């Protein structure tokens, strides 16, 4: 009975949130974001009902997560926690518009490896400075946004010391960044705790690669419980940020280590990518330099080239360990709402231009374009590209909610770090 009530209450919050996000003009997302209260009483939305059976999804989700994670977990211990995250993110976004894509990619790389436990933020594992950490794994060497999470954590520590976990900060800041970029609002459970351990080997082996075919991509997502539809919607996060030219160049010159271009790229698109990435001073950038800033992928050869996940396009750069590692300059990259193709609707950010690009054979990454190589995923691409973005936004919000609950640590598990880069000493 309690589980059913919890599911219905959360479903109502979700429905209200999605309806709110649909009602906000794309250009007004930042102003609306600042005016939205994270503590709207549930009684205000009790009259809403799901039109598509969506409550079943949310009730199933509430049953699948730990009992110690809940909506508004910090209501009593740090009631301003979500407001602080939201306002700090708004300040950061006003100066760094690429933060939305950076955190989306960072969040994906965290959750995809052993769950949403902030393990990707650690500078060392279990106090062992000699143990390799996720930041050092090849797929993560282009991650950015660590300093932004540290910035939010510092503000929260001044108000509520040792209360709000880094895992919750990353989840909330990612959601708020999506909204600021014009994407849908989705409610989140909180109460995650932080891992004391980092998982280098798993990060090396299990992050999807930019040159994966559709079978490989769907398999890796299915291992985390994602359906084909959820996978295609999550990859739509590539509609913000940009893909670094050094990752595109592998398709131009050394696809999958063959020494030849990707044969699936049309001659016209090949020339456009080459002109954009090579005639702008980037011919040498692929030799070890980081991507320009949620999330691009790495170069195609998985043996010698950097990897990164095909989720949430961002402008990546080299990983920035908060202690002793400086951030490298951002390289040039190409967005999906691109100068490349005037035939593709550009939009302001979170709309369907990613899927429209794939329909035209203009996926910047092989793994992206592979969505058209499978009839099931191609049908979803066509569906997302066919309306005003409402279907994609709803599905993306649902999939992000599901991802945010992957293998979370709660209760007596894990810890609440005082600094996001360092585990708490026993």
């Amino acid at each position: 009975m309690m589980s059913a009530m919890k599911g219905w209450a959360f479903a109502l919050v979700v429905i209200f949130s999605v309806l709110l996000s649909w009602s906000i003009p794309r250009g007004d997302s930042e102003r609306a974001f600042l005016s939205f209260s994270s503590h709207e009483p549930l009684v205000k939305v009790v009259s809403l009902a799901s039109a598509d059976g969506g409550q079943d999804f949310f009730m199933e989700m509430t049953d699948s997560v730990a009992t110690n994670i809940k909506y508004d977990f910090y209501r009593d211990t740090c009631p301003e926690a979500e407001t602080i995250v939201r306002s700090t993110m708004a300040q950061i976004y006003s100066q760094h518009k690429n933060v939305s894509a950076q955190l989306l990619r960072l969040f994906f790389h965290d959750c995809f490896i052993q769950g949403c436990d902030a393990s990707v933020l650690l500078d060392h594992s279990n106090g062992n400075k000699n143990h390799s950490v996720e930041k050092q794994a090849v797929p993560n060497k282009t991650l950015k946004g660590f300093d932004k999470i540290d910035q939010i954590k510092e503000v929260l520590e001044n108000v509520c010391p040792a209360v709000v976990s880094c895992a919750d900060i990353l989840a909330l800041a990612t959601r708020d960044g999506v909204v600021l970029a014009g994407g849908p609002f989705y409610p989140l459970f909180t109460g995650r705790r932080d891992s004391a351990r980092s998982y280098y080997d798993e990060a090396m082996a299990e992050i999807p690669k930019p040159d994966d075919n559709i079978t490989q991509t769907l398999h890796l997502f299915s291992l985390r419980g994602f359906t084909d539809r959820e996978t295609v919607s999550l990859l739509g996060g590539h509609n913000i940020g940009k893909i670094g030219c050094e990752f595109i160049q592998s398709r131009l010159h050394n696809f999958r280590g063959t020494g030849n271009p990707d044969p699936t790229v049309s001659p016209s698109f090949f020339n456009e990518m080459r002109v954009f990435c090579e005639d702008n001073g980037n011919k040498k950038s692929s030799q070890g330099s980081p991507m320009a800033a949620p999330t691009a992928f790495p170069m195609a050869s998985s043996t010698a080239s950097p990897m990164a996940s095909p989720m949430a396009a961002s402008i990546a750069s080299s990983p920035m360990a908060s202690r002793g590692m400086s951030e490298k300059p951002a390289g040039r990259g190409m967005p999906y709402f691109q100068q490349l193709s005037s035939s593709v609707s550009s939009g302001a950010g979170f709309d369907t231009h990613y899927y429209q690009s794939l329909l035209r054979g203009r996926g910047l990454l092989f793994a992206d374009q592979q969505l058209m190589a499978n009839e099931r995923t191609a049908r979803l691409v066509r569906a997302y590209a066919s309306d005003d973005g409402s279907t994609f936004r709803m599905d993306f919000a649902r999939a992000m909610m599901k991802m945010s609950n992957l293998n979370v640590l709660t209760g007596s598990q894990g810890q609440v770090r005082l600094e996001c880069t360092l585990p708490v000493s026993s």
Side-chain angles (χ1 to χ4, degrees):
M1 181 66 177
M2 289 298 296
S3 175
M5 292 177 63
K6 182 180 179 183
W8 272 106
F10 193 61
L12 292 173
V13 176
V14 172
I15 296 162
F16 172 74
S17 303
V18 172
L19 290 173
L20 176 67
S21 71
W22 286 348
S23 69
I24 298 171
R26 300 274 165 82
D28 294 338
S29 60
E30 188 169 354
R31 183 171 65 251
F33 171 77
L34 288 170
S35 66
F36 181 75
S37 169
S38 63
H39 297 291
E40 288 292 330
L42 296 183
V43 68
K44 288 190 176 182
V45 295
V46 294
S47 63
L48 294 173
S50 171
D52 63 352
Q55 72 275 9
D56 295 335
F57 167 83
F58 299 114
M59 292 173 69
E60 177 183 344
M61 191 181 72
T62 57
D63 288 340
S64 68
V65 300
T67 56
N68 290 318
I69 195 171
K70 62 183 71 171
Y71 181 71
D72 203 9
F73 177 84
Y74 299 106
R75 181 187 300 273
D76 298 322
T77 56
C78 189
E80 296 303 310
E82 296 192 29
T83 300
I84 290 171
V85 174
R86 185 170 66 253
S87 61
T88 307
M89 271 297 295
Q91 294 171 13
I92 294 171
Y93 183 83
S94 68
Q95 301 177 28
H96 306 283
K97 294 294 191 289
N98 58 5
V99 68
S100 299
Q102 291 173 358
L103 294 188
L104 187 55
R105 183 176 187 236
L106 184 61
F107 181 64
F108 170 72
H109 280 233
D110 181 48
C111 294
F112 217 73
I113 301 301
Q114 300 296 311
C116 305
D117 59 3
S119 57
V120 74
L121 306 179
L122 286 170
D123 279 352
H124 54 81
S125 183
N126 276 330
N128 182 357
K129 296 182 180 180
N130 296 319
H131 188 280
S132 296
V133 294
E134 289 172 50
K135 282 182 179 179
Q136 298 167 320
V138 175
N140 293 337
K141 286 188 175 182
T142 53
L143 292 176
K144 292 189 72 175
F146 298 103
D147 58 328
K148 308 304 189 295
I149 298 301
D150 290 343
Q151 181 178 340
I152 298 170
K153 176 66 168 175
E154 183 177 359
V155 176
L156 283 165
E157 285 298 302
N158 289 332
V159 177
C160 309
V163 173
V164 183
S165 70
C166 299
D168 274 343
I169 293 172
L170 180 55
L172 291 166
T174 298
R175 187 271 310 278
D176 294 345
V178 166
V179 175
L180 286 164
F185 178 92
Y186 51 93
L188 290 170
F189 289 128
T190 43
R192 298 167 190 79
R193 288 171 66 85
D194 302 323
S195 173
R197 178 187 171 191
S198 190
Y199 301 93
Y200 172 85
D201 291 336
E202 290 83 350
M204 284 291 292
E206 299 176 22
I207 296 290
K209 296 187 289 293
D211 63 336
D212 279 349
N213 61 38
I214 187 60
T215 301
Q216 293 167 319
T217 297
L218 292 177
H219 174 67
L220 286 172
F221 277 83
S222 69
L223 290 177
R224 276 84 183 164
F226 292 105
T227 65
D228 291 355
R229 180 168 181 161
E230 290 164 341
T231 300
V232 176
S233 67
L234 286 172
L235 289 173
H238 273 161
N239 63 13
I240 59 172
K242 59 184 178 180
I243 307 297
C245 278
E246 56 269 44
F247 301 151
I248 294 169
Q249 284 174 333
S250 66
R251 297 188 75 189
L252 304 181
H253 304 296
N254 188 30
F255 180 63
R256 290 187 162 181
T258 62
N260 296 309
D262 178 356
T264 67
V265 179
S266 70
S268 61
F269 192 40
F270 176 92
N271 288 333
E272 289 182 48
M273 289 193 291
R274 182 178 57 79
V275 169
F276 188 92
C277 281
E278 294 188 350
D279 292 353
N280 289 282
N282 282 286
K283 292 185 179 181
K284 297 182 180 179
S285 66
S286 63
Q287 301 301 318
S289 68
M291 212 164 61
T295 93
F297 311 119
M299 301 181 46
S301 171
S302 61
T303 56
S305 304
M307 294 179 302
S309 85
M311 156 51 189
S314 76
I315 314 168
S317 169
S318 67
M320 189 189 69
S322 301
R323 302 290 181 271
M325 295 179 67
S326 59
E327 185 173 331
K328 296 181 181 179
R332 190 173 179 84
M334 294 171 62
Y336 265 101
F337 57 96
Q338 30 183 291
Q339 307 90 307
L340 277 182
S341 176
S342 59
S343 65
V344 176
S345 171
S346 62
F350 244 89
D351 61 19
T352 63
H353 52 264
Y354 168 78
Y355 300 106
Q356 294 173 27
S357 294
L358 300 185
L359 288 178
R360 292 169 172 83
R362 304 173 71 85
L364 293 175
L365 297 175
F366 179 76
D368 285 339
Q369 192 58 49
Q370 276 284 289
L371 292 180
M372 296 303 297
N374 174 292
E375 181 52 38
R376 296 191 311 277
T377 55
R379 186 164 58 247
L380 290 164
V381 170
R382 289 191 290 269
Y384 287 147
S386 66
D387 67 9
D388 63 355
S390 298
T391 304
F392 161 59
R393 290 164 68 85
M394 169 67 89
D395 283 2
F396 182 82
R398 287 183 173 185
M400 286 298 292
M401 290 166 60
K402 182 173 180 176
M403 174 169 286
S404 73
N405 295 325
L406 285 180
N407 298 326
V408 295
L409 302 175
T410 64
S412 61
Q413 301 171 319
Q415 57 187 221
V416 175
R417 295 181 212 144
L418 305 182
E419 296 182 58
C420 289
T421 58
L422 303 173
V424 176
S425 171
S426 58

